Amino acid sequence: MQRVRIAVVGSANMDLVAVAPSLPRPGETVLGTDFVMVSGGKGANQAVAVSRAGGSCVMLGAIGSDSFGVTLKARIAGAGVDVSQLRVVYGASGVALVVVNAAGENTIVVTPGANGAFTALTGPELDIVRDADIMIAQLEIPVETVTEAALAARAAGTRVVLNAAPARTLPTELLDAVDLLVVNEVEAQALTGRGREEPAALLSVVPRAVLTLGDAGAWYVDRDGTAAHVPAYPVRAVDSTAAGDAFTGALAVAWAEGRDLVEATRWACAAGAACVRRVGASVSLPHRADIDALFG
């Protein structure tokens, strides 16, 4: 089978991850047990997730001119992602400060750095979007850039998958260009005022949506009347940091390969479950064989 072509438009960060027995409260210092520094950012994570899930992926985004930027580009490329169009912006790369507790829960602070300068897409960048089977975007880069990419994709017949994270209100012109929305409960609440009780509320803004619910699985809904709950795969969670990115990347690959979206959501749930078994963002993103092993 020919590998599907997926363009990921989004952020790249260096993740500084500390593991501790509990998450610190305001003013509290907690003694950690481990530390890792890994490439991350929702865009980079989803690009790596796509590549490991079996898709051919090009990433569009920006890194800084600092040492983090050099490392980020090398690590993303090392995962099989095409980084030939990744911009280098003078100054700092994006950085995420992550604390993970013993239950796998986390808190994250992101400083955008070069990601905030990723604006005004070039001709070659727009061509990549237009030539893809699916374009994936998130919201750690300027929303104007996401909108520009989505409109170009829609005009060219490229399907648009939007992972609307982090949570924020979105312009109507962007939502009108989205083919499939992927959100968690917090992000769904920001868009519709409704949470897990009413996943179909998302259909007021997009034609198809997946609502992810962590260990409660996910809902897939569409305007054709489909409403399917997909259970989570039972695994021991160590770090949930990149689970949503593993889910989104795998979902896009499965849809591009021709699976119906309920089955694609099941496969994506397997990807998310495989991801939480390891600490770190990009290093925990599962390969296709890992996903298939859980999917059965």
Side-chain angles (χ1 to χ4, degrees):
M1 180 174 61
Q2 184 176 1
R3 295 177 75 196
V4 294
R5 301 167 300 166
I6 295 180
V8 175
V9 180
S11 59
N13 297 323
M14 186 60 74
D15 288 357
L16 309 179
V17 185
V19 181
S22 61
L23 302 178
R25 294 168 295 183
E28 180 184 18
T29 298
V30 174
L31 186 63
T33 59
D34 198 7
F35 172 79
V36 291
M37 185 174 74
V38 294
S39 56
K42 297 195 73 65
N45 287 346
Q46 290 177 19
V48 172
V50 165
S51 180
R52 290 185 177 174
S56 175
C57 186
V58 180
M59 181 175 175
L60 302 177
I63 53 176
S65 56
D66 55 2
S67 60
F68 282 170
V70 174
T71 303
L72 280 169
K73 187 171 184 178
R75 291 186 179 179
I76 299 167
V81 177
D82 183 344
V83 295
S84 61
Q85 295 296 320
L86 196 59
R87 298 186 194 177
V88 178
V89 177
Y90 181 78
S93 298
V95 173
L97 306 177
V98 184
V99 180
V100 182
N101 71 9
E105 299 171 321
N106 62 72
T107 59
I108 305 173
V109 176
V110 177
T111 58
N115 297 304
F118 183 48
T119 58
L121 296 174
T122 66
E125 288 168 340
L126 290 170
D127 286 342
I128 288 170
V129 168
R130 296 183 184 111
D131 290 341
D133 297 308
I134 286 179
M135 185 202 83
I136 305 173
Q138 324 77 30
L139 301 175
E140 290 182 342
I141 59 174
V143 70
E144 296 81 8
T145 307
V146 176
T147 302
E148 181 184 7
L151 292 174
R154 169 54 64 90
T158 298
R159 285 172 284 177
V160 176
V161 175
L162 177 65
N163 176 209
R168 65 172 71 179
T169 56
L170 295 175
T172 301
E173 62 177 339
L174 171 56
L175 291 170
D176 287 347
V178 172
D179 293 290
L180 175 62
L181 180 72
V182 182
V183 289
N184 64 19
E185 291 181 82
V186 173
E187 295 144 10
Q189 185 78 24
L191 287 174
T192 67
R194 309 292 175 85
R196 72 167 63 198
E197 296 82 8
E198 297 186 58
L202 294 164
L203 301 180
S204 65
V205 294
V206 292
R208 303 170 195 84
V210 174
L211 174 62
T212 61
L213 300 170
D215 60 8
W219 275 95
Y220 169 74
V221 292
D222 63 35
R223 288 177 180 169
D224 293 329
T226 305
H229 177 254
V230 177
Y233 291 80
V235 295
R236 179 178 175 272
V238 175
D239 180 5
S240 62
T241 304
D245 298 327
F247 182 100
T248 301
L251 180 68
V253 170
W255 193 25
E257 289 177 346
R259 305 193 200 198
D260 72 76
L261 276 165
V262 175
E263 181 181 355
T265 302
R266 291 193 183 99
W267 201 65
C269 280
C275 179
V276 302
R277 297 182 296 188
R278 295 184 62 189
V279 173
S282 60
V283 295
S284 66
L285 294 164
H287 294 269
R288 191 179 184 101
D290 302 320
I291 303 171
D292 285 339
L294 274 179
F295 185 67

